[in-house]
Amino acid sequence: MDKIVIKGGKPLKGAVKISGAKNAVLPMMAATLLAEGRFEIRNVPDLRDVKTMAHLLRIIGAKVAFAESRLVIDTSDCGFYEAPYELVKTMRASIYVLGPLLARYGQARVSLPGGCAIGPRPVDLHLKGMEDLKATVVLDKGYIVAKARKLRGSSVSFDVSSVGATGNVLMASVLAEGRTVINNAAREPEISALAEFLVKMGAEIEGIGSGQLRIHGVSKLEPVSFDVIPDRIETGTFMIAAAITGGEVEIQKTDPKLVASLTSKMRMANVMVEEGESVIFCKAPERLKPTNVTTSVYPGFPTDLQAQWMTLMCLADGSSVIQETIFFDRFAHVAELRRLGAQIQVNENVSIVTGVGKLIGATVMSSDLRASACLILAGLIAQGRTDVLRIYHLDRGYEKIESKLVGLGANTWREEGSS
Ligand code: EPU
């Protein structure tokens, strides 16, 4: 397993380009199963999760080629309708093939995802949504087995807003007979991007970007070419990196609208943030003001930036409160930040961070993707050397992070196969 070593203390300066969004490209890749032919998806990040989804599509029978941020997927010869446990256990987003397989082939066998480092993550809403569309769904030896001769449009209401369940039901409904209404649909930009992708394929969807999606099923969809939106979590991570290191960074090839909730919190913390059309400029303040955040669904503060914000608040001039409302147990990074000298108290889903003025380098262990990012941020500011172990989590969601950081002046490198 690789690790990343950081010698902290260098202010980040310069410009960095943001990659395409992982959480937008993964459902799009699954959506290619809804039509026969050759798709081209551009601005695709080179990530482990993208490779895992490509592997899954190949198992199903698609031909997949990936080079220079361009993914070509040919779905002409698909004939195996299963997502095996070996893949699903490494990437929960594999469940996105459930809706497309069911809609196009009338059957799907998808392993139930197992445990997850960020807390319990049930899939009951995905299953309920398929049943609402008149599929039969049974659980068999750890697998979801779903069948439907023809899915039928229906009213699907989620009691909890779920990105994954909205995406899955949306993909299933575009080929269903009649009209589907998804109530309390997730409004995350990655779901809107998926909906735009489906519309380009010929789907009829109204209400994109709102909490209610209305779909008229069509009988056939066509392959398309599409550009992936910028990754808002990578964008936010670099904004925080500029602020925490006392630096000034221009973040390019992004969309400031996607990180508006973070920008507003950054300004409250005294960070200077200027926005252009596809550029954000961040300059660190002399002193960071403690600023509370509560995670919530889009357009609220994203849970995927909670760990990174916590690291920033470790350096603030006082105490701040961070409340996690999406994944209640998503605090595995706290124990590792404490190893670097952070003062954080946790009570259920609320943590209180007391700014400590400085962190001291140590060896720390990543537990999940965003926890890894927060430990990298901590290492950038910690005195001395920080070794971040189990970096494979980071490789799931951040494209070339160490070379992007080096480009901004950080003293960091990867050591292969070291721990
Ligand atoms: N939930 C249920 N039942 C379900 C599905 C979800 O109770 O059937 C609950 C979850 O337990 C959670 C809430 O609903 O409390 C929201 O979960 P959601 O379904 O929205 O999450 P997800 O689709 O599994 C995606 C992202 C996550 C991101 C969340 C929240 C992808 C591939 N993953 O997960 O991204 O944290 O939405 O925004 O899009 C990451 O990139 O690091 C990551 C974890």
Side-chain angles (χ1 to χ4, degrees):
M1 277 187 244
D2 297 356
K3 69 177 176 182
I4 285 185
V5 181
I6 308 158
K7 288 200 174 160
K10 288 212 165 181
L12 298 190
K13 294 223 160 97
V16 63
K17 286 191 176 57
I18 295 303
S19 302
K22 163 181 91 76
N23 290 347
V25 75
L26 295 176
M28 276 175 204
M29 290 174 76
T32 63
L33 296 171
L34 288 164
E36 191 178 310
R38 184 181 177 279
F39 289 79
E40 183 181 318
I41 308 178
R42 294 175 296 249
N43 197 30
V44 176
D46 188 358
L47 300 173
R48 201 156 63 91
D49 275 8
V50 170
K51 290 181 179 136
T52 306
M53 187 60 97
H55 186 175
L56 175 54
L57 293 181
R58 285 192 193 105
I59 288 176
I60 291 169
K63 293 189 186 68
V64 186
F66 180 48
E68 291 168 10
S69 310
R70 191 168 143 270
L71 195 54
V72 175
I73 303 175
D74 189 330
T75 54
S76 303
D77 295 316
C78 294
F80 184 71
Y81 313 121
E82 182 169 315
Y85 176 64
E86 289 64 39
L87 283 186
V88 182
K89 75 173 187 216
T90 64
M91 188 186 69
R92 302 177 63 85
S94 311
I95 198 173
Y96 271 133
V97 298
L98 177 66
L101 286 178
L102 195 52
R104 175 120 182 272
Y105 301 102
Q107 55 179 305
R109 193 164 180 273
V110 177
S111 171
L112 273 171
C116 179
I118 64 178
R121 291 175 76 182
V123 292
D124 55 312
L125 299 175
H126 299 243
L127 307 190
K128 174 198 169 302
M130 299 308 150
E131 284 174 338
D132 286 345
L133 299 179
K134 307 292 182 287
T136 57
V137 180
V138 292
L139 298 182
D140 178 41
K141 302 188 194 80
Y143 276 75
I144 304 159
V145 181
K147 289 195 176 127
R149 200 172 294 149
K150 181 77 188 156
L151 292 174
R152 290 188 201 290
S154 173
S155 168
V156 182
S157 296
F158 294 128
D159 51 355
V160 174
S161 170
S162 161
V163 174
T166 301
N168 231 337
V169 172
L170 178 63
M171 289 189 278
S173 65
V174 289
L175 285 181
E177 212 169 77
R179 177 179 152 95
T180 298
V181 178
I182 306 178
N183 292 308
N184 198 18
R187 292 194 286 155
E188 270 64 12
E190 295 75 22
I191 290 297
S192 300
L194 170 66
E196 301 289 0
F197 182 78
L198 293 167
V199 166
K200 200 165 180 197
M201 288 172 69
E204 293 182 17
I205 305 170
E206 289 169 17
I208 296 174
S210 80
Q212 188 189 67
L213 294 171
R214 297 174 296 282
I215 303 112
H216 277 280
V218 294
S219 55
K220 196 164 183 280
L221 296 167
E222 300 295 335
V224 291
S225 298
F226 205 83
D227 291 301
V228 178
I229 59 170
D231 195 310
R232 62 193 168 105
I233 306 304
E234 188 196 16
T235 302
T237 304
F238 276 103
M239 290 168 74
I240 294 173
I244 203 170
T245 60
E248 37 185 288
V249 175
E250 184 172 287
I251 297 154
Q252 302 172 340
K253 273 190 74 191
T254 187
D255 180 352
K257 291 192 287 303
L258 299 178
V259 286
S261 59
L262 174 67
T263 298
S264 131
K265 289 293 175 182
M266 296 278 273
R267 287 179 176 149
M268 284 164 79
N270 282 342
V271 181
M272 188 184 113
V273 185
E274 283 173 3
E275 299 162 292
E277 199 180 319
S278 59
V279 168
I280 299 173
F281 178 73
C282 275
K283 186 167 181 225
E286 288 281 302
R287 303 169 88 95
L288 280 163
K289 194 171 153 201
T291 306
N292 304 340
V293 300
T294 299
T295 63
S296 67
V297 295
Y298 189 83
F301 192 93
T303 175
D304 291 342
L305 285 172
Q306 178 257 109
Q308 299 89 316
W309 187 261
M310 186 179 285
T311 310
L312 183 68
M313 288 300 102
C314 288
L315 277 303
D317 253 358
S319 296
S320 52
V321 179
I322 297 179
Q323 190 174 0
E324 174 57 62
T325 72
I326 307 295
F327 297 109
F328 269 47
D329 293 341
R330 199 175 197 176
F331 283 136
H333 44 282
V334 169
E336 301 303 305
L337 288 174
R338 284 189 189 131
R339 289 178 53 72
L340 301 172
Q343 278 186 29
I344 306 165
Q345 288 170 296
V346 178
N347 188 358
E348 296 189 334
N349 68 323
V350 178
S351 63
I352 299 171
V353 185
T354 306
V356 285
K358 67 173 182 196
L359 297 174
I360 312 280
T363 298
V364 286
M365 182 106 79
S366 314
S367 55
D368 70 78
L369 169 56
R370 308 305 170 187
S372 315
C374 100
L375 296 175
I376 299 286
L377 291 172
L380 289 173
I381 191 66
Q383 287 178 3
R385 171 179 165 138
T386 299
D387 290 41
V388 184
L389 309 184
R390 297 205 179 160
I391 218 62
Y392 59 88
H393 292 293
L394 199 68
D395 295 335
R396 293 186 48 201
Y398 288 90
E399 187 179 44
K400 301 187 187 84
I401 188 158
E402 68 272 28
S403 56
K404 288 186 182 183
L405 289 170
V406 168
L408 293 171
N411 187 359
T412 182
W413 64 93
R414 175 180 293 244
E415 289 186 4
E416 284 177 13
S418 43
S419 45

